Short mmCIF file of all heavy atoms in Angstrom, two decimals:
data_model
loop_
_atom_site.label_atom_id
_atom_site.label_comp_id
_atom_site.label_asym_id
_atom_site.label_seq_id
_atom_site.Cartn_x
_atom_site.Cartn_y
_atom_site.Cartn_z
N MET A 10 102.86 98.32 117.95
CA MET A 10 102.21 99.62 117.77
C MET A 10 100.73 99.48 118.12
O MET A 10 100.13 98.44 117.89
CB MET A 10 102.30 100.09 116.32
CG MET A 10 103.69 100.38 115.82
SD MET A 10 103.70 100.90 114.08
CE MET A 10 103.09 102.58 114.26
N VAL A 11 100.17 100.55 118.65
CA VAL A 11 98.73 100.65 118.87
C VAL A 11 98.30 101.95 118.19
O VAL A 11 98.92 102.99 118.41
CB VAL A 11 98.38 100.71 120.38
CG1 VAL A 11 96.89 100.92 120.58
CG2 VAL A 11 98.85 99.44 121.07
N LEU A 22 113.10 97.38 109.88
CA LEU A 22 113.70 96.07 110.04
C LEU A 22 115.21 96.18 109.81
O LEU A 22 115.64 96.69 108.77
CB LEU A 22 113.10 95.08 109.04
CG LEU A 22 111.56 95.05 108.96
CD1 LEU A 22 111.11 94.09 107.86
CD2 LEU A 22 110.97 94.68 110.31
N VAL A 35 101.42 88.20 107.17
CA VAL A 35 100.63 88.88 108.19
C VAL A 35 99.34 88.10 108.42
O VAL A 35 98.70 87.62 107.49
CB VAL A 35 100.34 90.36 107.82
CG1 VAL A 35 99.58 90.46 106.52
CG2 VAL A 35 99.61 91.08 108.94
N THR A 41 91.85 94.96 108.04
CA THR A 41 92.25 94.69 106.66
C THR A 41 93.39 95.64 106.31
O THR A 41 93.61 96.64 106.97
CB THR A 41 91.10 94.91 105.66
OG1 THR A 41 90.68 96.28 105.74
CG2 THR A 41 89.93 94.00 105.94
N THR A 47 108.12 92.33 100.98
CA THR A 47 109.56 92.29 101.16
C THR A 47 110.07 93.73 101.13
O THR A 47 109.72 94.50 100.25
CB THR A 47 110.25 91.50 100.03
OG1 THR A 47 109.94 92.10 98.77
CG2 THR A 47 109.81 90.05 100.00
N GLN A 53 102.06 99.95 106.11
CA GLN A 53 100.77 99.51 105.60
C GLN A 53 99.66 100.21 106.37
O GLN A 53 99.78 100.41 107.58
CB GLN A 53 100.62 97.99 105.73
CG GLN A 53 101.69 97.25 104.95
CD GLN A 53 101.54 95.75 105.01
OE1 GLN A 53 100.90 95.18 105.88
NE2 GLN A 53 102.15 95.08 104.05
N THR A 64 93.61 93.04 115.35
CA THR A 64 95.06 92.85 115.45
C THR A 64 95.62 92.43 114.09
O THR A 64 94.93 91.82 113.27
CB THR A 64 95.43 91.77 116.48
OG1 THR A 64 94.81 90.54 116.09
CG2 THR A 64 95.00 92.15 117.88
N VAL A 66 99.29 90.51 113.11
CA VAL A 66 100.52 89.93 113.61
C VAL A 66 101.40 89.61 112.40
O VAL A 66 101.01 88.84 111.52
CB VAL A 66 100.26 88.66 114.43
CG1 VAL A 66 101.57 88.02 114.88
CG2 VAL A 66 99.37 88.97 115.63
N ILE A 70 110.78 87.23 108.21
CA ILE A 70 111.82 86.25 107.94
C ILE A 70 113.04 86.97 107.37
O ILE A 70 113.00 87.47 106.25
CB ILE A 70 111.32 85.18 106.95
CG1 ILE A 70 110.07 84.53 107.52
CG2 ILE A 70 112.42 84.16 106.66
CD1 ILE A 70 109.17 83.92 106.48
N PRO A 71 114.15 87.03 108.15
CA PRO A 71 115.38 87.61 107.61
C PRO A 71 116.12 86.54 106.79
O PRO A 71 116.06 85.35 107.11
CB PRO A 71 116.17 88.00 108.86
CG PRO A 71 115.69 87.07 109.92
CD PRO A 71 114.26 86.72 109.56
#
Side-chain angles (χ1 to χ4, degrees):
M10 295 179 75
V11 176
L22 312 177
V35 59
T41 60
T47 59
Q53 300 182 340
T64 59
V66 177
I70 303 156

